[in-house]
Amino acid sequence: LMETHDRYFLDHVCNRIVELADKTLYTYKGNYAYYLEKRQERITVQNANVDRANNLLRTELDWMRRQPQARAHKSRSRIEAFYELEERAKRRHEQQEMRLQMKSSYIGNKIFEAHHVSKSFTTDKDGHAMAEKVILKDYNYTFARYEKMGIVGHNGTGKSTYLKLLQGLIQPDSGTIDVGETVRFGYYSQEGLQFDEQKKVIDIVRDIADYVMLSDGTKLTASQFLQNFLFSPEKQYSYVYKLSGGEKRRLYLCTILMRSPNFLILDEPTNDLDIVTLNVLEEFLQNFGGCVIVVSHDRYFMDKVVDHLLVFHGQGKLQDYPGNYTDWREYSLLKQQEEEEKKNPKLAVAAGTVSADTRVKPRTEKAPKLSFKEKQEFAALEQELPALEAEKAELEALMSSGTLSGPEIVEKGQRMQEIIDLIDEKEMRWLELSEKQNP
C-alpha cells in the first residue's frame, strides 16, 4: 500500500488505484492510465445525472412557486422529494485547479556565462583523513534565452551547490560567473520553505505585495491571487501552522511567482504537490516566457518540462545530454549493457548482440517438440484469444457510448480488467508454445 505522486511508478507498479474525492473512496482495478480513463468516465456520468436532475428541478420549481394555499393540498412527500432533487442538482463535479498566469519580467539576450569555474570542498573522512569533494572543474557554459535545463545525478554530486553558485549565494574557488543585468531569479529550494508559523496566510502574501499583475494585464489583490492557488477566503485567514505539507508548498510557490521572476530555479518542486497541481505547473513552465532550471526525481515532470539535461556524475564530471530524462535513461542503460558485455562476452551472446557461433559452439541437441496435450492447448488458445479481443472491443464501445449508469460502468470496468489480464496471460502462454512448435 503506497501513497505517491510519481506517475511513472503508479503506471508500472500499481494494479489498483484508490481515489479520495467528495468525501468518498473510489476504487479502480488497474494502473494509473486506466484510473485516469475510468475517472473521467465516472465524472461524465455524474455530471449527466446532475443535468437530468436540473431539468426535472425546473419543473418542480415551478410547482413550488405556486401560491402556498394551492401547494397545501399537494403531497408532502413531493415537497420533500423536491429538496432532495435540489441537493442532487448541486452535485456537479467541478474540479478545482490552480491557475498560473504570472507575468514574467523582460529577459535580455545575455543570461549567464560561466568561465573556467571550479569548486570543491574538503570533507572529513572516517574522522581522520581529509578527502576532496569536487563539484565543478574548469566548467564553461553559456545559458541561452528561454532555455529549460534539467539537472540529474546521485545525491551528493553537487546539484544544489551548482544552483547556489549560479545565483551568487556561494562563491567559486576560481573562475567567474557573469549574470545578465535583466535576470531576476526565482529560487524554489528545499531549505526555502520557512514561514512564521504564527502568521496568517494572507499576511505572508501581503508582506510581499498587496497587488499582483497577471500575464493578461489583470490586476489582482493578494486575496484574489491566493484563490488562484486554491486558498479559499477561510483558509487565507488560517494560521500557517495549520496548513498541510502540500498547502505550504503551494504557498511557497505563490510567494516566488508573485515577484515576477524571469529565471526560475526549482529544486525538487514536486514534493508534496498533488497531481492536479503538478499538471498545471508543468503547463505553466512549458509556456513560461523565461529560463528554467529544474532539479527533480520526478521523471514524468522532467520529461514534460526540460529540453536537455545536465548530468552530474560526481567529482566534477558533467555531461550535457540533448534530450529528456527518458531518452537519457535509455541511453545510460544501453551504455551500461555494452560495458558489461565487454567484460563478459557471454552476456553479449545471451542478449543477441553478438553472434553465438563467434563465441561458443552451437548446440547440437534438438529443441523439444510440443506434446499432444500442449498441441491441444495451443489450438484452444488460438480460438480463445480472438473471442476475448472481440469481447474487449464490444465492452470498449459500450463504455464509450454514454448510455451506462454509474454501477454499470463499474461492473463493465471490472470485467474489462479481467479480460485484459486474461489476454496478457494467454498471449504469454501462446508465445511459449509457439516457440516450442517453431524453434
Side-chain angles (χ1 to χ4, degrees):
L1 176 65
M2 66 202 74
E3 178 186 353
T4 178
H5 294 141
D6 188 328
R7 289 157 287 186
Y8 279 152
F9 190 85
L10 284 169
D11 217 24
H12 287 86
V13 175
C14 298
N15 56 21
R16 183 186 295 266
I17 306 288
V18 179
E19 178 192 9
L20 175 60
D22 307 322
K23 301 179 182 179
T24 306
L25 282 175
Y26 299 96
T27 302
Y28 303 85
K29 291 182 66 177
N31 62 7
Y32 179 68
Y34 178 82
Y35 151 73
L36 286 179
E37 179 185 350
K38 299 308 170 187
R39 176 180 180 272
Q40 187 55 50
E41 289 178 3
R42 171 177 64 80
I43 292 171
T44 301
V45 170
Q46 285 178 344
N47 287 342
N49 290 335
V50 169
D51 289 338
R52 284 194 289 270
N54 275 313
N55 291 334
L56 182 56
L57 181 64
R58 281 191 285 270
T59 303
E60 292 296 288
L61 190 59
D62 179 63
W63 177 82
M64 288 290 288
R65 284 172 175 168
R66 293 176 190 171
Q67 294 295 328
Q69 58 269 27
R71 198 170 66 224
H73 300 289
K74 301 296 183 182
S75 168
R76 180 170 182 81
S77 61
R78 183 171 177 181
I79 297 175
E80 293 173 351
F82 167 81
Y83 291 112
E84 291 178 6
L85 181 64
E86 187 178 36
E87 183 63 29
R88 286 205 308 275
K90 294 177 181 177
R91 291 177 187 166
R92 171 173 287 276
H93 181 94
E94 298 292 350
Q95 178 67 58
Q96 276 194 313
E97 289 188 0
M98 190 171 76
R99 295 188 295 276
L100 296 179
Q101 297 176 321
M102 304 308 305
K103 181 180 180 181
S104 59
S105 304
Y106 168 79
I107 189 167
N109 290 322
K110 182 178 179 180
I111 313 302
F112 83 81
E113 299 173 357
H115 302 285
H116 306 288
V117 174
S118 295
K119 182 67 179 178
S120 61
F121 296 99
T122 303
T123 58
D124 188 358
K125 184 179 180 182
D126 301 327
H128 302 289
M130 304 300 287
E132 185 181 34
K133 181 179 180 180
V134 180
I135 306 300
L136 297 176
K137 186 176 181 180
D138 196 30
Y139 174 69
N140 294 279
Y141 193 81
T142 300
F143 211 88
R145 200 178 187 190
Y146 309 129
E147 185 174 335
K148 293 178 173 60
M149 173 195 285
I151 296 181
V152 296
H154 294 298
N155 292 335
T157 52
K159 301 187 297 294
S160 295
T161 303
Y162 176 83
L163 300 181
K164 292 175 181 177
L165 279 167
L166 169 61
Q167 299 171 84
L169 299 177
I170 58 176
Q171 297 302 314
D173 298 335
S174 61
T176 59
I177 295 178
D178 190 10
V179 179
E181 293 181 359
T182 61
V183 173
R184 293 180 62 178
F185 289 114
Y187 184 31
Y188 183 103
S189 68
Q190 298 302 297
E191 299 85 11
L193 188 60
Q194 298 175 358
F195 298 113
D196 183 345
E197 298 281 321
Q198 299 301 319
K199 272 192 171 184
K200 294 178 180 178
V201 173
I202 187 70
D203 293 331
I204 296 290
V205 174
R206 282 176 176 166
D207 285 347
I208 300 171
D210 290 325
Y211 294 92
V212 180
M213 189 70 71
L214 300 186
S215 57
D216 60 0
T218 306
K219 188 177 182 181
L220 296 182
T221 64
S223 178
Q224 290 171 328
F225 184 65
L226 277 169
Q227 288 185 51
N228 279 3
F229 283 75
L230 305 184
F231 287 100
S232 64
E234 295 79 16
K235 184 71 74 173
Q236 292 176 24
Y237 286 89
S238 294
Y239 290 98
V240 173
Y241 71 84
K242 293 184 177 180
L243 299 180
S244 67
E247 287 170 335
K248 287 180 180 178
R249 291 279 171 192
R250 274 193 275 121
L251 178 60
Y252 181 34
L253 186 61
C254 170
T255 60
I256 291 170
L257 295 182
M258 70 184 300
R259 292 182 169 92
S260 300
N262 53 26
F263 196 133
L264 283 173
I265 299 178
L266 308 176
D267 190 357
E268 293 295 350
T270 64
N271 292 352
D272 290 326
L273 291 182
D274 61 86
I275 290 176
V276 174
T277 301
L278 284 177
N279 285 330
V280 178
L281 181 58
E282 287 161 1
E283 184 178 355
F284 170 74
L285 292 175
Q286 286 170 341
N287 301 308
F288 180 64
C291 298
V292 177
I293 291 181
V294 178
V295 178
S296 177
H297 290 105
D298 188 325
R299 298 159 289 175
Y300 190 89
F301 185 84
M302 293 284 271
D303 280 355
K304 291 286 289 291
V305 172
V306 307
D307 48 39
H308 76 111
L309 294 180
L310 186 63
V311 184
F312 280 69
H313 294 285
Q315 288 302 106
K317 184 181 179 182
L318 273 65
Q319 175 189 3
D320 192 350
Y321 185 83
N324 61 24
Y325 183 90
T326 298
D327 296 332
W328 172 75
R329 184 170 181 270
E330 291 175 355
Y331 168 80
S332 300
L333 291 173
L334 182 61
K335 294 291 288 184
Q336 182 181 353
Q337 180 183 339
E338 288 175 353
E339 290 175 4
E340 290 174 352
E341 289 171 357
K342 286 179 182 178
K343 295 177 183 177
N344 188 352
K346 291 182 180 180
L347 290 176
V349 176
T353 56
V354 178
S355 175
D357 55 11
T358 64
R359 299 293 184 182
V360 294
K361 294 180 179 180
R363 286 185 290 180
T364 56
E365 67 272 15
K366 294 182 179 179
K369 294 288 186 179
L370 290 180
S371 66
F372 177 74
K373 187 176 180 181
E374 286 174 331
K375 288 180 179 179
Q376 286 184 316
E377 183 185 0
F378 187 73
L381 286 171
E382 289 194 319
Q383 292 181 350
E384 291 170 2
L385 281 168
L388 286 170
E389 290 288 356
E391 186 179 355
K392 179 186 172 187
E394 184 181 341
L395 278 173
E396 286 174 345
L398 189 60
M399 294 177 72
S400 62
S401 65
T403 60
L404 300 180
S405 64
E408 286 175 328
I409 284 182
V410 173
E411 180 188 347
K412 300 299 182 186
Q414 290 174 345
R415 176 56 184 163
M416 174 71 81
Q417 188 59 47
E418 291 172 3
I419 291 174
I420 291 172
D421 292 341
L422 278 171
I423 289 174
D424 289 344
E425 177 186 337
K426 291 181 182 293
E427 280 183 343
M428 185 61 69
R429 181 57 177 161
W430 183 90
L431 284 171
E432 292 174 2
L433 295 176
S434 178
E435 288 176 359
K436 288 183 69 174
Q437 181 174 340
N438 304 292

